[in-house]
Amino acid sequence: MMNASATLDPSAPIESVSRRREILYFAIRRPKVLVSGAIILLFLGIGIFGPIIRPGDPNAFVGPLGSPPDSTYWFGTTSFGQDVFAQFAYGVRATFLAGFLGGSIAAIIGMIVGFVAGYTGGIVDEVLNMITNIVFVIPTLALLMVVTAYLSARGIVVEALFIGLTSWPWAARAIRAQTFSLASREFVDLARISGVPSPRVIFFEIAPNMSSYLFLTYILLFGGAILIAASLDFIGLGPTEGVSLGLMMYNAVAWGALPLGMWWWFLPPGIGITAVVGSLYVMNVGLDEIFNPRLREM
Amino acid sequence: VGRYFGRKLFIYALTFFVAASIDWMIPRFMPGDPVQSLLSRSHVTPEALPALQAYYENLFGLDKSILAQYANFWGALLHGDLGRSVYLSGTPVTNVIMGALPYTLALLVPAILLSWWAGNKFGAIAARRKVLDNGFLPIGYILTAMPYMWLAIIVAWVFGSVLGIFPISGGYSFAMEPSLTLAFFGSLAVHWIMPFMSLFLVMFGGWAIGMRNVIIYELDADYSRYLGSLGAPSGLIRRYAYRNALLPQVTGLALQLGVIIAGALVTEIVFGYPGIGKLLLAAVQNQDYFLLQGIFLFIIVGVLIANFLVDIAYVYVDPRTRVGMRGGAA
């Protein structure tokens, strides 16, 4: 036992450095990862710097009514003279925030449930499985719309919290399955026999061995939270203050941008969401090919 | 098989129980007083407020004990009584939803089945043609990443506004009354095409990508390679791989149901299609909580029924579940 850990330890740092270099080596040679990463960074930049370029209330009536894009109003104005670019920039920021918070909360719950169920097994596993199945079958959006409708003042944080609380089940299932297969490996047995407490085994033995898998799961949860938030906003159950991309689409439809042909109003929010979520999905596939050498040759 | 379905049915019954209980709990345990917030948003004269307050408290049954309220809720629910819609001046919620349900089902059922079928076929074909694969993959990812309502907006804009082929909004011509005439059904069909098309497209992308990824994996599996080394025609290998690849796609159908239904709701909103989605928007805008909660329960029931149908289909496509259940292994 001592011997095993002694031979393992010195090699560990070298291995992790070379592995990081290996991942980087393949990452910069993967157009999928490069292009999707660039798109995400671009939109992240818009979300961070856009509101700085256009300070003030994005809903303020500043420009001419319903004018197409020009040099002053890059994305044109709405029928009420609001600056579409300002709304877009704040909306992208809100989108990332919703994805980050919602995805993170869902990932944390999914990991806790998945690790505990997969590692403990037995009756705990059964109970957690049943809870997972129940939350799984209840359609997220349907539950969210009832809950949020009763909140008179909503912010992005509250919205993201509820999204996180309802969208974790598939992640929990996937992580449970992975944990289950790892839990019977020898190095985990070794740790368990040497009296390492369960949380330590999970965090220091099991989790690092599926870190790439956890990261991929997180990417998908992030993208999913963005899409759910957009749908909620579109029904009118999003944040009561401020702007979001879903709300922009709702306003565009509600105030007749379609029959009026005001494409500059309804195209940008959809492009923003599609580009960010699509890039996340493609990045997920690209990273999978990097983490998983078997997929590289394809 | 009986045990398999018994277990599934138990989970579904439990889910319905939990969902209905949440439905009951939310107005009572959310921060704030639902009656007060309803009153503050209602547009009545100050003299009418006390009467309205008494009416709402009676409706929620707030004057009784919490357990009695819960029992009453289930009693009413099992009689199909979901309360009355405030915004449609007191029409029973069940009737309101029943009136909108056919439109939603007419959109959803064909869109789900056709996109699943076509997406699987297309994904399987794309997986073995490099050119098709490279061209389709980005499009497929863009389609799945699109919010349903945005694709609906684009479809409405291109075909309705720019090209002017189809009407942008409504379930039938505004000049018509629902009737059993040929003209009315024609109008229904013309208004149905665009919402159907946009739902179909988003789902099609998802199924095709899913199928492509699974079939590549299956074509690489030992049994495929073995068949290949025996000199079996590639058509035969592909047919075996396709049947195996269908299994995760059937499961995927169950997993995606919630997302698909949400997508149908927002698509209806874009097209002003008179289904559950439009009703939902009206309920939200008018703070019609009974209607909202009724819609929630209807969606839950719909999802549970659909899940059960998928379970039945799974037993049909996967012989292992049949054998395994008889042996009692799984």
Side-chain angles (χ1 to χ4, degrees):
Chain A
M1 201 166 75
M2 286 298 286
N3 215 345
S5 60
T7 47
L8 263 177
D9 265 333
S11 68
I14 300 167
E15 205 175 78
S16 75
V17 166
S18 70
R19 177 152 168 77
R20 203 165 295 154
R21 194 171 295 160
E22 183 190 333
I23 287 174
L24 205 64
Y25 174 88
F26 281 104
I28 55 175
R29 278 162 186 77
R30 279 279 143 187
K32 269 181 200 150
V33 178
L34 274 185
V35 172
S36 59
I39 294 176
I40 291 172
L41 280 182
L42 171 73
F43 278 93
L44 199 59
I46 294 177
I48 293 172
F49 300 111
I52 299 174
I53 306 174
R54 298 289 164 93
D57 182 10
N59 286 329
F61 310 111
V62 286
L65 307 183
S67 79
D70 57 35
S71 55
T72 337
Y73 299 102
W74 298 343
F75 288 0
T77 57
T78 69
S79 324
F80 311 106
Q82 293 150 310
D83 183 356
V84 176
F85 178 75
Q87 293 198 339
F88 178 72
Y90 281 91
V92 168
R93 179 182 274 191
T95 292
F96 272 104
L97 201 61
F100 172 71
L101 289 175
S104 304
I105 294 170
I108 290 170
I109 301 177
M111 281 197 308
I112 292 174
V113 173
F115 282 143
V116 171
Y119 184 72
T120 323
I123 188 83
V124 178
D125 185 25
E126 286 277 327
V127 171
L128 285 178
N129 234 335
M130 190 157 291
I131 296 174
T132 310
N133 280 334
I134 289 173
V135 183
F136 202 81
V137 178
I138 297 178
T140 313
L141 194 86
L143 180 61
L144 284 173
M145 76 199 193
V146 180
V147 176
T148 46
Y150 275 98
L151 291 171
S152 44
R154 297 178 293 262
I156 295 178
V157 178
V158 176
E159 185 187 28
L161 177 75
F162 281 111
I163 292 174
L165 285 177
T166 46
S167 55
W168 53 268
W170 72 263
R173 261 191 201 181
I175 292 169
R176 176 189 167 274
Q178 288 278 319
T179 311
F180 197 69
S181 74
L182 278 175
S184 56
R185 296 278 191 85
E186 281 164 0
F187 65 92
V188 177
D189 281 337
L190 201 62
R192 203 177 353 207
I193 295 167
S194 26
V196 180
S198 299
R200 274 189 71 90
V201 177
I202 289 173
F203 280 109
F204 293 100
E205 306 294 337
I206 294 179
N209 277 293
M210 49 190 280
S211 55
S212 58
Y213 191 80
L214 294 177
F215 186 64
L216 297 182
T217 308
Y218 181 63
I219 290 183
L220 293 182
L221 285 173
F222 197 108
I226 291 179
L227 284 180
I228 297 172
S231 298
L232 267 184
D233 297 351
F234 186 72
I235 302 177
L237 291 172
T240 35
E241 303 267 310
V243 248
S244 70
L245 296 181
L247 193 62
M248 282 176 77
M249 278 193 251
Y250 168 74
N251 283 329
V253 171
W255 301 106
L258 280 175
L260 296 174
M262 293 167 68
W263 49 267
W264 58 89
W265 193 358
F266 57 77
L267 285 187
I271 292 174
I273 294 174
T274 309
V276 172
V277 177
S279 302
L280 285 169
Y281 287 172
V282 172
M283 177 170 255
N284 177 60
V285 176
L287 286 177
D288 197 18
E289 288 169 7
I290 294 167
F291 292 141
N292 192 347
R294 245 179 296 171
L295 295 171
R296 268 181 208 156
E297 272 76 43
M298 289 195 340
Chain B
V1 185
R3 210 179 128 239
Y4 170 77
F5 281 128
R7 209 181 146 80
K8 290 281 184 186
L9 278 178
F10 174 67
I11 287 276
Y12 294 154
L14 205 60
T15 308
F16 180 71
F17 175 75
V18 170
S21 299
I22 292 175
D23 204 25
W24 172 82
M25 266 161 61
I26 286 169
R28 286 166 180 84
F29 296 108
M30 286 299 265
D33 184 349
V35 174
Q36 282 306 327
S37 82
L38 277 175
L39 289 177
S40 66
R41 283 159 183 155
S42 59
H43 307 286
V44 292
T45 53
E47 299 87 66
L49 271 180
L52 199 62
Q53 179 163 8
Y55 170 72
Y56 278 131
E57 277 176 358
N58 187 31
L59 265 185
F60 281 104
L62 290 178
D63 40 354
K64 302 191 190 71
S65 79
I66 207 98
L67 276 175
Q69 289 179 35
Y70 191 54
N72 283 346
F73 166 78
W74 274 104
L77 187 61
L78 296 178
H79 283 104
D81 177 10
L82 297 171
R84 287 169 184 277
S85 162
V86 180
Y87 122 87
L88 287 165
S89 49
T91 322
V93 164
T94 320
N95 296 5
V96 177
I97 296 176
M98 278 304 189
L101 197 59
Y103 289 98
T104 300
L105 288 181
L107 265 188
L108 258 181
V109 177
I112 291 177
L113 294 178
L114 284 176
S115 68
W116 191 81
W117 177 79
N120 281 333
K121 288 280 174 207
F122 187 82
I125 295 170
R128 53 175 201 264
R129 306 239 165 87
K130 203 71 203 162
V131 183
L132 199 59
D133 195 27
N134 287 341
F136 167 69
L137 210 54
I139 299 174
Y141 276 112
I142 292 173
L143 279 179
T144 38
M146 265 190 197
Y148 279 80
M149 59 270 186
W150 193 58
L151 185 69
I153 290 175
I154 294 194
V155 168
W157 177 50
V158 173
F159 292 95
S161 190
V162 178
L163 298 176
I165 308 175
F166 298 112
I168 290 183
S169 137
Y172 44 83
S173 167
F174 289 121
M176 285 187 188
E177 285 281 310
S179 59
L180 285 172
T181 57
L182 211 58
F184 178 70
F185 279 101
S187 175
L188 270 184
V190 171
H191 284 79
W192 173 84
I193 289 176
M194 280 206 304
F196 166 78
M197 197 157 58
S198 75
L199 266 179
F200 176 87
L201 275 177
V202 182
M203 287 192 266
F204 175 81
W207 298 131
I209 285 189
M211 186 45 143
R212 175 212 169 255
N213 292 345
V214 185
I215 209 150
I216 283 180
Y217 176 81
E218 291 291 341
L219 284 174
D220 205 37
D222 288 343
Y223 71 89
S224 304
R225 288 174 178 260
Y226 180 63
L227 267 182
S229 66
L230 286 181
S234 62
L236 182 72
I237 303 175
R238 281 204 302 270
R239 211 153 13 165
Y240 278 125
Y242 183 74
R243 285 212 58 167
N244 275 313
L246 271 183
L247 296 181
Q249 293 290 87
V250 175
T251 324
L253 192 56
L255 303 189
Q256 285 294 313
L257 272 173
V259 178
I260 292 173
I261 289 179
L265 298 182
V266 292
T267 304
E268 282 178 10
I269 293 176
V270 171
F271 290 103
Y273 201 72
I276 304 279
K278 201 182 165 200
L279 208 56
L280 170 68
L281 185 68
V284 168
Q285 286 174 339
N286 296 289
Q287 310 284 346
D288 192 339
Y289 291 107
F290 285 102
L291 189 53
L292 197 62
Q293 283 166 260
I295 293 174
F296 172 70
L297 281 181
F298 259 80
I299 293 176
I300 298 284
V301 172
V303 168
L304 291 179
I305 292 174
N307 260 294
F308 192 62
L309 292 179
V310 172
D311 287 337
I312 295 175
Y314 199 81
V315 171
Y316 180 70
V317 281
D318 187 356
R320 281 174 305 185
T321 37
R322 296 199 288 269
V323 179
M325 287 312 130
R326 211 168 290 147

